Amino acid sequence: MEGAQLLVPILVPLGLFAMIFGIVYLQKREKMAMIERGMDPRRYKPQSAPFQNLKWGLLLIGAGLGLFLAYVLDATVFARMKDNEAVYFGLIAMFGGLGLFLSYRIEKKETIDKEAPAAYIHEKDVV
């Protein structure tokens, strides 16, 4: 166990440095590929995502509900049992996924409602 404890302070900073280096390298490489194709990399900026806050909010609410329910179940139903960590991870994942699914449904409903008047034409309107 002594050898593994010595490797952690060495490998964690190396992994962090490798991750940052990889991200910067890939961004530079992407810009160079755009220049080679005749595109201006300054012109292409990340597009705004109007429902990003909704998605994160519902994900965190779902994860919080899952954690709370897991605690309640651990304190009541599974009180006699030991090692109930799987309940926590499972319920956090389930409720977080439920929050993301709910966000998807809301986004889909909003985008269909905005596009429907322009795309839908009644038969009596066509001459």
Side-chain angles (χ1 to χ4, degrees):
M1 201 64 174
E2 190 68 31
Q5 290 176 350
L6 290 175
L7 287 178
V8 170
I10 296 170
L11 292 179
V12 169
L14 284 176
L16 181 67
F17 174 75
M19 182 182 68
I20 293 171
F21 178 78
I23 290 171
V24 170
Y25 173 75
L26 289 175
Q27 285 177 346
K28 300 268 186 199
R29 189 170 171 188
E30 180 184 21
K31 287 182 182 180
M32 289 302 293
M34 290 175 77
I35 291 171
E36 287 175 0
R37 291 191 180 119
M39 302 165 80
D40 185 14
R42 291 174 291 175
R43 191 170 177 199
Y44 297 97
K45 295 180 181 176
Q47 297 176 351
S48 65
F51 294 103
Q52 194 71 24
N53 291 335
L54 174 70
K55 186 179 293 184
W56 277 103
L58 288 175
L59 173 67
L60 293 175
I61 287 171
L65 284 174
L67 185 62
F68 176 71
L69 184 63
Y71 173 75
V72 169
L73 288 176
D74 189 27
T76 57
V77 177
F78 302 119
R80 296 182 187 181
M81 300 171 66
K82 293 182 180 178
D83 300 328
N84 295 325
E85 291 85 15
V87 173
Y88 285 91
F89 289 110
L91 286 176
I92 289 172
M94 281 176 40
F95 278 90
L98 185 66
L100 288 175
F101 179 72
L102 185 63
S103 169
Y104 167 75
R105 297 289 291 185
I106 292 171
E107 286 180 42
K108 185 177 175 184
K109 180 183 175 189
E110 288 294 320
T111 55
I112 288 175
D113 287 347
K114 287 182 181 176
E115 293 175 2
Y120 184 71
I121 300 172
H122 293 283
E123 290 180 19
K124 62 183 178 184
D125 294 339
V126 178
V127 177

